[in-house]
Each structure stands twice: as structure tokens, then as C-alpha cells.
Amino acid sequence: MPKKSSRAARPPKARTSGQSASAADNKSLHGETGKTADLASDTVEPGEVLTGNQGVAISDDQNSLRAGPRGPTLMEDFHLREKITHFDHERIPERIVHARGAAAHGVFQVYEDLSDLTMAGLLTDPSRRTPVFVRFSTVAGSRGSTDCARDVRGFAVKLYTDEGVWDLVGNNMPVFFIQDAIKFPDLIHAVKPEPNNEIPQAASAHDTFWDFVSLTPESAHMLMWLMSDRALPRSFAMMEGFGVHTFRLVNAAGKSRFVKFHWKPIKGVKSLVWDEAQKISGKDSDFHRRDLFEAIERGDYPEWELGLQIVEEKDEFKFDFDLLDPTKIIPEELVPVRRVGRMTLNRNPDNFFAETEQVAFHTGHIVPGIDFTNDPLLQGRLFSYIDTQLRRVGPNFAELPINRPLNPVHNNQRDAMARVTINKGRVSYFPNRLGGGCPMHSPEAADAFVSYAEKVDGAKIRARSDSFSDHFSQATQFWNSMSDWEQEHIADAFSFELNQVENEEVRHHVMNELLVNIADALAQAVSAQTGIRVARVGTSKNPTPSAPTPSGPLRAEAKDLSSPALSQDKPGDTIKGRRIAILGGEGVDAKQLKAVADALLAEDAVVELIAAHAGTIADSAGKAQKVNRAAANAASVIYDAVVVPGGASAAALAKSGLAIHFVNEAYRHGKPIAAIGEGSVLLEACSLGEAGAKEGVIIGGDAKAIDGLIAALLQHRFPRRPIKGVPA
Ligand code: HDE
């Protein structure tokens, strides 16, 4: 019989409406392992004896019931029908956006008591370890699409706090395409595959997307992020997360402050390059989810610090952008990000569907001490998420193990499809006498949510504030903040996308209504690669009549805006989790192989030996070495660096087309390449760019090459290498 692994872990009384669970019961559920214990009560081991869903043991699960061995199948075969019909119903609708994702469990802990800012328990009690479940995703692609699409990444965090569930449903970019939720269906229809032929999958590089954004100047800033390397993260663990909107923190005295939430990755912000990302999509479309899963399995736990940017209410209007406008950042140089706590992801889900697929985030899942602002995008999201969960997961989505809070739920909501809770008693209404007036609302209770009493007064109009009308200054600021190679990648990305667009008018308008208003250098660089003429048709001051959204004035000072914090051109301080390929073969130098592998493993990097075939090879000392991947199954794009040790294998590699392509491609993608001793013969057989311009290519004896390799890995990539003419 299937066994529940720990039925007792969940106190049944805690779920009974009208009765509070005892304090002791509750306590056992809270804390770091609280959610794990809670989930355990619904987690099932494989079991020994096969049964049907009614618990009846099944004698034969492989032959349907027939009238004779060659006869028709009988209606009576209840087991066949149960098995097949359950299978027929296995899918739920995939998310309309963010369909493809991967998730992990973990814990959040605040560094110090922040009760001056908020009454949220998880931010005031440094001893509290709040369980979390985090789902990362792409936006545009279907559930089976590639991880490495050029796209925004979702960064949705569910925190099971002692006061209820808080969902911080963010992205890896701090701004959004639109300022008003009413435009969201249009944006998504435009970016999704075109409806007549469902092409292209998981890509913005097509006519309808660029048509829409060319008529939506408020998207300019977000487009800069989307065309930057931020849209190509190396790993989920190497990207920032942002709450995007301005929220509120409210303390126990009722004082409110504005806040922007940030997640700062301990591993730093690192990206792939576009050619590499496209190739990974073919070689390993699970690249990011595999990286997350394997890192957690080997104990390399992804970590972020929670950052807060706090703005006092009195300073609401002191910026030259509107705090409620989700197309704007608050530059870190204006309001520093205070790092207040740490989130660690330390456990993989047991079941992708039950956890990662059924998890239901909602911006309206909020706890006392945190509140909303009037950002019109946030306001619209507050409608959308509950609706999508009701449709996608069902009316009792909040009861599912992954979604339910750790504290007891008591209310008079009843029934609906697939209800799990068995509510006792005759009373399911309020007010009541028959149930002793329970469950009663308690405005005075310390942990009751009370909305911040913001004063609101206005005419009922469909209009946006003028303070939302500067669409270009921060796009220019983003451009100005990038290093030379980051700017080059942005211009290349715009060019790639616009070269995929067939409609000349759309191409022309993107150039002459968006790019020219962001930066001349960008417009010129894209023009050179796309053949689109720069001929400003509408300045941001003078939009074309077809543009439904009036653009705002281009501020003269915009050309001087810069926020250096936005650049990722910074060396890292760890190579933990980086994947390094060692190209070997029969007779590979045993000493060098060991030295380089040991040094990299000591830094918690991942090392793989690649040789002609899987299984083992013999090193120069005759010892069998396990091969992690056969050369024909390996691709340089899934590694961060390549090492070629000496020994008899080196000469053979220098004659191998696969090995030469591997090194050339790694070079092209800016990756560190190290050759130890005779390993240099392979590098000589490759076309590693112009002589003297071999940044990040290290040749030497083992100690020198290994030190150089680790230093180069800290640099991550060498994007300034000349790569023209490198055949890969
Ligand atoms: Fe979402 N978004 N969104 N979004 N969003 C959804 O909810 C929506 C927006 C984000 O891993 C949907 O469960 C509207 C901004 C993430 O399960 C849906 C608007 C940001 C996820 C929805 C936005 C996000 C979603 C689809 C414009 C960053 C995935 C399936 C007002 C701050 C969560 C679902 C997960 C998912 C609506 C804009 C982040 C349809 C209407 C801005 C990370 O409800």
C-alpha cells in the first residue's frame, strides 16, 4: 500500500474551522522546516503493492480485460478506465505567461530587527527562519520551450510567514513594458507566437511584438533591459530579482514608507552571450532548470540578499520621475539599497507538478506590515492573479499543499470543486450565535491585516498622470550606464530582432520613434547593422498621430544620467558552480589532470572530463578515468571554460575537428581557455583571433595555467576579444 510518509506531521485540528489550533501545534509547523513537515503529510513513497485509486490491490496492470485473448475489451474493466481517464486529465492549463519555470524550497532570515520600518514578523525577528518557495520562469514561451530564450525572467517568491503567506511576485528586471494593466493582454498577444501560424516560440524577434512596442513609447526603458545581457542570465543564481512596483512598509505605529524590493545574488550578476544562448537552446533546452536542480543536489545553494530602497512619504515627489510609474527605477546612487536579510534555496521539489506547476502566486497575498501603492500596473495585477489561479488551478487552489499557509485557515468559504477541508458544524455564515460568533474578525488582533489608510480623492477618469510621461530619460540612463561591450551587445540585440522583422514600416518606426530618442550612438549602430535609415519621424515631443500614447518631453539632462550600479562589467569573487570542460583522451597527463581538477573542485566549481567516448579512458599512469561526456554529446556552450591538459591525448585532439570547434566556439563566446604543457598544440590548431589579442587564453605549466584559469573565471567572460574570422 502507498504510505504517507508522515501523517502525524500536520495537526488535523489546525484545519478545523472555528477552532484555533493550539499554540504548540502551530509552533511545530513554523520555522525553517515547517513547510517541509507540512508538505510531508501529503508526500507519498512509491509503495510496494500496486492499487487502484480506491485502494484495491490490482492483479494485472498490463493486460486489459478482454473477451478472449483476441476479443474486444470489456466496459467492465474498471481499472483500465480509471487508469486511462486519469491520464487523459493529467494536464492543467499552463500559465498564460511564465508557463516555463523551475522552482526550489528554501529559507529567508532577516539580519536585524526592522520594526522601525515594518511590523512584518519575518522582517522584525532575526531568529525567525521563514520557509520560502521560489519559482523562476521565462515569460513568453510555452511550458516546453527553451530556458535560454531572450526574455524577462520571473522571480516569484512565496514566503510562508507566521502571519500568513506573502508572495513577492517579481522579475529579474526592475521595470516593465507598460504603465497600465489594461495594456497587458495587448502586450502579451503581441509577444506570444503569432496567432495565424503559432510562430515563433519563446521569442520577441517578430513583427507583432515590434509593431506593438513601436507604438508604445513607454516600453523604451524595458526594451533596453530586454535587449541587454540581463535577458540572458547564466544561471538563476546569477540574476537579480526586483519587486518592480513601489510598495509600502508600515510599522506598528501605522507609519508608512515607500519601498522597492531587491534580491541581490551572492554569486553576482552574470550572463550568457546571444550566440551561445541560441545554441544552448538546441543542445540543452533545460539549461537553467538543470543548473538549479544540480546545484542544490550538490549543496551549492543559490543565495540572495534582500535589499530595500526606502523613501519617506514626505519625499514622494522629490524625484524627476513618479514613484508609481513601473517603467522607472530609483537609481541606487540616489537611494542606496540596504541589505537586510538572506534567502537560501536548499531543497529541490519532490514533484514538479504538485509543487512547481500548481504553485499559485498572487500579488494580493500580503501580510501585515506590507501594503500596496496606487501603481496602476500593481493595481491591475491584484485583479489578475487571483482570477488566473481560480481558472488554472481551481477554486480551492489555496488548499493545495504547496499553496496553503502554515497557520490555520478559518472562514466561511465553503465547497467548490475538489474541496479538501472537512469543515465541521452547521454554521458557515457570519454573524452567528450558533457558532459562538466564530470565526470572528478581530481588528484589534496584533496580526490582523489592516489596509494602510491612504487618503484617496479624485474624479473618475481614464487618464494617466503627466508625471508618467517621460518615457526616454531612463532608457538613455540605462544606455549611458553600460560599458562599451554591454552597449555593443544591446545594439547587436536590437539589430538581430529588427532583422527578423519583415515589415519595413515597423522597422522604420522602431528606429525613428524609439531608438533615436534613446541615444544617437545606439540608433547609428543599429542602423549600420539593419540598413534602417535614421530619419527621425517623430521626436518624443511630437509623436506621430498613429501613436495612441503621447510621449513626454525628452529631458535635456537625460544625456548626462547614469547609474553605474546597472552595469554587470564587474569581476566576481567566486567561481562556485561554474562548469569547466577538460578535454582529454587516452594517455592524458595524469598529474596535470589531477592538479587542475583538484584546484577547481577546491573552489566548488564543477569539472567534467570530455573524451572520445563515454565510460573510461586510461591516463598516462594507466589509471582509468571516468569520462563525464562523450565528445560528440558535449558542446562548449554548456561550459564556462575549457582546459586542455598535456599528455598523449593532446596531439590527437589537435587533429580532431570536434575538439578544434569546441575551443574555437569557447573562444568566440569569450570564455577562459587554458592549455597545460603539450595541451597548447590544440590551441595552435585553432583560430584564436589575432596574435597578441588573446585575453583569457592561458598557456603554461600546471600551476601557472591553473592560477590563470581561476583568475580568468572570476572575470567570467572576455567580451572584448576580436572574434571576426573565428570559425564557430
Ligand atoms: Fe504577471 N502574471 N502580470 N507580472 N507574473 C502572471 O499569473 C499580470 C507583471 C509575474 O511563477 C499570471 O499565475 C498582469 C509584472 C511572474 O507562477 C497572470 C500584469 C511582473 C509570474 C499575470 C503582469 C510580473 C507572473 C499568469 C500587468 C513583475 C509567474 C499565470 C499588470 C513584477 C509566477 C499566473 C509563477 C504570472 C498577470 C505584469 C511577474 C496572468 C495583468 C510587472 C513572476 O495572472
Side-chain angles (χ1 to χ4, degrees):
M1 294 283 290
K3 280 186 210 125
K4 297 271 183 182
S5 57
S6 125
R7 257 273 168 232
R10 189 165 156 232
K13 276 199 173 156
R15 308 286 154 190
T16 309
S17 177
Q19 290 172 14
S20 289
S22 71
D25 279 348
N26 276 340
K27 214 166 173 205
S28 68
L29 278 184
H30 289 158
E32 177 173 8
T33 52
K35 193 62 195 172
T36 306
D38 179 47
L39 292 174
S41 65
D42 286 281
T43 307
V44 176
E45 302 293 341
E48 285 165 20
V49 175
L50 185 87
T51 74
N53 285 338
Q54 304 305 314
V56 174
I58 303 297
S59 59
D60 182 348
D61 177 62
Q62 296 295 292
N63 293 291
S64 47
L65 192 67
R66 269 165 246 171
R70 301 183 61 249
T73 303
L74 301 179
M75 280 280 281
E76 184 190 317
D77 191 347
F78 62 87
H79 179 59
L80 167 73
R81 277 187 290 128
E82 181 189 274
K83 184 175 172 184
I84 296 267
T85 51
H86 193 278
F87 169 75
D88 293 344
H89 293 254
E90 274 178 5
R91 298 287 176 273
I92 58 174
E94 69 172 33
R95 291 164 175 82
I96 293 175
V97 282
H98 298 266
R100 182 166 179 83
H105 294 276
V107 64
F108 170 78
Q109 191 167 15
V110 72
Y111 294 146
E112 55 185 317
D113 175 3
L114 301 177
S115 50
D116 53 325
L117 296 175
T118 175
M119 64 182 124
L122 83 163
L123 296 176
T124 57
D125 180 356
S127 70
R128 228 197 247 190
R129 290 173 64 79
T130 302
V132 302
F133 188 67
V134 181
R135 184 174 181 273
F136 304 104
S137 48
T138 53
V139 175
S142 307
R143 200 182 144 189
S145 59
T146 174
D147 282 349
C148 289
R150 175 178 293 285
D151 202 350
V152 189
R153 296 301 183 288
F155 193 126
V157 183
K158 191 177 278 295
L159 298 118
Y160 306 90
T161 86
D162 288 7
E163 294 79 23
V165 168
W166 174 32
D167 288 345
L168 182 53
V169 197
N171 279 343
N172 77 329
M173 297 178 188
V175 289
F176 203 62
F177 296 95
I178 48 174
Q179 294 172 322
D180 188 320
I182 201 164
K183 296 180 169 209
F184 191 65
D186 301 298
L187 165 72
I188 300 305
H189 287 174
V191 71
K192 281 272 183 180
E194 299 191 9
N196 53 337
N197 54 14
E198 220 188 35
I199 298 174
Q201 181 56 247
S204 53
H206 58 114
D207 286 45
T208 54
F209 176 72
W210 289 97
D211 183 25
F212 175 81
V213 293
S214 71
L215 290 162
T216 310
E218 72 210 56
S219 64
H221 189 195
M222 182 64 165
L223 288 173
M224 295 300 285
W225 284 83
L226 186 67
M227 294 301 114
S228 80
D229 292 353
R230 296 277 185 145
L232 312 171
R234 160 62 183 83
S235 155
F236 293 140
M238 295 175 207
M239 57 186 207
E240 285 181 296
F242 302 91
V244 175
H245 314 282
T246 302
F247 289 85
R248 288 177 185 280
L249 288 181
V250 185
N251 68 16
K255 184 171 169 49
S256 155
R257 293 176 177 87
F258 296 108
V259 62
K260 292 266 192 196
F261 294 110
H262 296 246
W263 293 108
K264 296 280 188 186
I266 298 297
K267 285 186 174 171
V269 179
K270 298 289 166 215
S271 294
L272 303 168
V273 294
W274 178 227
D275 183 66
E276 178 191 16
Q278 290 178 86
K279 289 174 175 164
I280 297 176
S281 291
K283 296 286 183 182
D284 183 7
S285 57
D286 303 312
F287 185 71
H288 284 143
R289 63 168 60 171
R290 190 189 304 285
D291 175 88
L292 176 68
F293 184 88
E294 290 182 353
I296 291 176
E297 290 300 298
R298 65 173 184 269
D300 174 6
Y301 298 146
E303 287 191 302
W304 291 261
E305 286 184 302
L306 177 68
L308 305 179
Q309 278 179 303
I310 303 286
V311 176
E312 297 291 336
E313 277 209 322
K314 68 175 170 44
D315 294 333
E316 178 173 1
F317 300 109
K318 91 169 189 194
F319 302 98
D320 47 22
F321 50 86
D322 196 320
L323 283 183
L324 302 186
D325 175 356
T327 67
K328 304 297 184 296
I329 60 164
I330 309 178
E332 291 188 25
E333 294 75 11
L334 290 186
V335 178
V337 176
R338 176 174 168 197
R339 294 173 186 236
V340 299
R342 185 174 283 237
M343 177 168 77
T344 307
L345 299 184
N346 53 19
R347 188 167 80 78
N348 280 311
D350 286 315
N351 185 283
F352 189 93
F353 181 83
E355 300 174 75
T356 309
E357 192 61 9
Q358 291 201 121
V359 66
F361 292 93
H362 174 23
T363 41
H365 293 164
I366 202 135
V367 290
I370 299 163
D371 214 325
F372 313 117
T373 62
N374 296 331
D375 171 344
L377 202 64
L378 174 59
Q379 294 282 320
R381 293 179 75 202
L382 293 169
F383 282 82
S384 180
Y385 287 70
I386 183 87
D387 180 43
T388 211
Q389 307 315 349
L390 293 175
R391 159 82 185 112
R392 204 175 67 81
V393 194
N396 285 314
F397 76 86
E399 287 189 323
L400 292 178
I402 194 64
N403 294 324
R404 67 189 172 210
L406 288 173
N407 35 355
V409 172
H410 302 300
N411 59 45
N412 293 315
Q413 294 172 36
R414 289 291 184 276
D415 307 348
M417 194 190 282
R419 181 73 173 173
V420 174
T421 307
I422 302 170
N423 295 103
K424 284 167 88 173
R426 18 188 332 216
V427 171
S428 54
Y429 54 87
F430 186 87
N432 67 71
R433 281 199 182 88
L434 298 183
C438 291
M440 58 184 80
H441 33 113
S442 52
E444 304 307 322
D447 56 357
F449 185 88
V450 180
S451 291
Y452 176 66
E454 181 186 358
K455 189 165 171 343
V456 181
D457 184 17
K460 215 190 287 176
I461 47 168
R462 291 188 183 274
R464 247 178 288 173
S465 166
D466 284 347
S467 54
F468 277 45
S469 65
D470 175 2
H471 303 319
F472 292 103
S473 297
Q474 288 211 346
T476 307
Q477 170 180 277
F478 187 81
W479 173 259
N480 293 346
S481 310
M482 296 291 108
S483 61
D484 54 348
W485 61 267
E486 288 172 301
Q487 289 187 339
E488 198 178 315
H489 288 187
I490 292 170
D492 290 352
F494 272 108
S495 305
F496 178 93
E497 303 260 322
L498 292 174
N499 278 331
Q500 291 288 109
V501 172
E502 285 171 7
N503 186 291
E504 274 307 327
E505 227 188 320
V506 170
R507 281 161 44 93
H508 176 76
H509 282 280
V510 173
M511 171 64 74
N512 291 301
E513 289 189 64
L514 295 182
L515 302 191
V516 293
N517 289 326
I518 297 171
D520 278 342
L522 172 63
Q524 294 302 340
V526 175
S527 171
Q529 293 188 61
T530 58
I532 308 172
R533 219 162 45 85
V534 178
R536 192 181 285 264
V537 289
T539 66
S540 58
K541 247 186 180 161
N542 178 23
T544 51
S546 59
T549 321
S551 325
L554 251 191
R555 293 187 9 249
E557 327 78 271
K559 66 175 185 356
D560 300 321
L561 292 176
S562 173
S563 171
L566 299 177
S567 170
Q568 57 175 292
D569 187 20
K570 304 172 181 107
D573 49 20
T574 174
I575 65 164
K576 211 173 175 185
R578 296 300 210 288
R579 188 173 289 272
I580 293 105
I582 303 185
L583 303 191
E586 298 295 333
V588 62
D589 188 294
K591 205 171 112 295
Q592 292 173 4
L593 180 63
K594 182 170 174 354
V596 72
D598 286 353
L600 292 169
L601 291 171
E603 301 284 335
D604 292 325
V606 179
V607 179
E608 290 197 354
L609 177 62
I610 299 172
H613 55 75
T616 58
I617 50 157
D619 65 21
S620 59
K623 191 172 161 217
Q625 294 287 348
K626 166 135 187 59
V627 175
N628 300 96
R629 233 179 258 262
N633 300 23
S636 80
V637 288
I638 62 168
Y639 298 96
D640 292 292
V642 45
V643 184
V644 194
S649 53
L653 287 170
K655 294 197 191 98
S656 154
L658 277 180
I660 292 171
H661 183 266
F662 194 102
V663 173
N664 278 337
E665 193 175 51
Y667 179 82
R668 196 182 170 81
H669 297 149
K671 295 173 184 175
I673 298 169
I676 311 176
E678 299 128 329
S680 63
V681 295
L682 173 56
L683 271 49
E684 280 151 27
C686 299
S687 323
L688 301 189
E690 296 152 22
K694 295 179 182 170
E695 251 194 325
V697 179
I698 304 115
I699 300 176
D702 48 0
K704 180 171 170 252
I706 293 166
D707 289 350
L709 173 67
I710 291 173
L713 274 161
L714 287 169
Q715 281 287 322
H716 186 59
R717 299 292 161 88
F718 295 87
R720 295 189 182 92
R721 277 179 190 163
I723 54 170
K724 281 204 183 93
V726 177

